[in-house]
Amino acid sequence: DQAETVLLGLSRGSGAASLAGMAPATVDDDVTWRRPLLGVRRATTRAACAADGLRPWDDPHNTDPAFARVRVRRAVLPVLEAELGPGIAEALARTAEQLREDAAAFAEMIEETIEDIVEPAEAGIAVSVAALAANPPALRHRIIRHVVASEFHVGLTRTQTLEVARLVTDWSGQGPIDLPGCRARRAGGKIEFTASGSGI
């Protein structure tokens, strides 16, 4: 599952959060979902079930080629294993684990930083240009995406994020940028994000 998730993310040009795959445990609406067998190969799980006299249930979606995940599992991964050698799935799973660690570190850094550089603005929120400029691009871009997602509940594409970042790093008087659910503009020493249709 992890290998398929990483390959699909790579094919779509996804960021680190998507390439990090599924976590062993996630919390959704105060419900914790655990995946204790996530790192175990299917063959190992089946062998353990057979040894204990258990009959595993097969999800029919796992064999339906209408799903890209199934095509990756049945067609792409075997080719990669044949051409590059065994262990591709495990290597991709390790990559996902490392990216989850990186994402967790960035999330912690953002939480530590965000309160000092963000302030309310009329019909939205503002972020200090100097503070954004002082951060490396990877953190700057994550802060921009975090602010927009937290305030307006929408996600930005990489292209949209880079356009907002240009208001910080390549400022030449350009006007506001229309984004999903909001608009970004540079006003003095701040990048202001305001709700779409606010007239500001």
Side-chain angles (χ1 to χ4, degrees):
D1 285 342
Q2 291 291 55
E4 296 152 14
T5 301
V6 173
L7 284 176
L8 287 170
L10 284 170
S11 72
R12 295 166 181 155
S14 301
S18 178
L19 297 180
M22 295 176 283
T26 53
V27 178
D28 184 19
D29 292 331
D30 295 325
V31 175
T32 300
W33 298 92
R34 300 191 186 279
R35 304 173 184 91
L37 302 178
L38 193 58
V40 181
R41 294 296 299 259
R42 183 174 282 103
T44 303
T45 305
R46 286 188 170 279
C49 288
D52 285 342
L54 301 173
R55 191 176 81 178
W57 176 76
D58 290 311
D59 185 344
H61 292 98
N62 285 336
T63 57
D64 187 346
F67 297 100
R69 179 177 297 280
V70 173
R71 297 194 299 275
V72 167
R73 180 185 307 129
R74 300 177 77 179
V76 178
L77 276 172
V79 169
L80 289 175
E81 294 266 349
E83 295 296 328
L84 302 177
I88 295 297
E90 289 81 4
L92 290 168
R94 286 194 303 274
T95 297
E97 184 176 0
Q98 293 166 12
L99 288 170
R100 275 197 307 280
E101 292 172 356
D102 290 350
F106 273 119
E108 187 174 329
M109 293 168 69
I110 289 170
E111 288 302 321
E112 291 174 353
T113 305
I114 206 82
E115 289 187 11
D116 295 330
I117 68 171
V118 172
E119 62 185 60
E122 190 174 351
I125 196 165
V127 187
S128 162
V129 167
L132 284 171
N135 282 296
L139 188 54
R140 181 185 312 129
H141 299 159
R142 280 171 168 81
I143 290 170
I144 290 168
R145 288 194 297 270
H146 177 82
V147 167
V148 171
S150 298
E151 185 73 13
F152 304 102
H153 310 291
V154 295
L156 298 182
T157 65
R158 177 161 176 80
T159 299
Q160 291 163 341
T161 303
L162 292 176
E163 282 303 303
V164 175
R166 285 184 64 239
L167 296 176
V168 176
T169 60
D170 191 21
W171 171 245
S172 57
Q174 59 264 45
I177 300 169
D178 289 320
L179 301 166
C182 65
R183 171 178 282 196
R185 69 170 185 161
R186 180 161 171 164
K190 295 180 173 48
I191 303 297
E192 293 183 350
F193 297 91
T194 54
S196 295
S198 65
I200 296 174

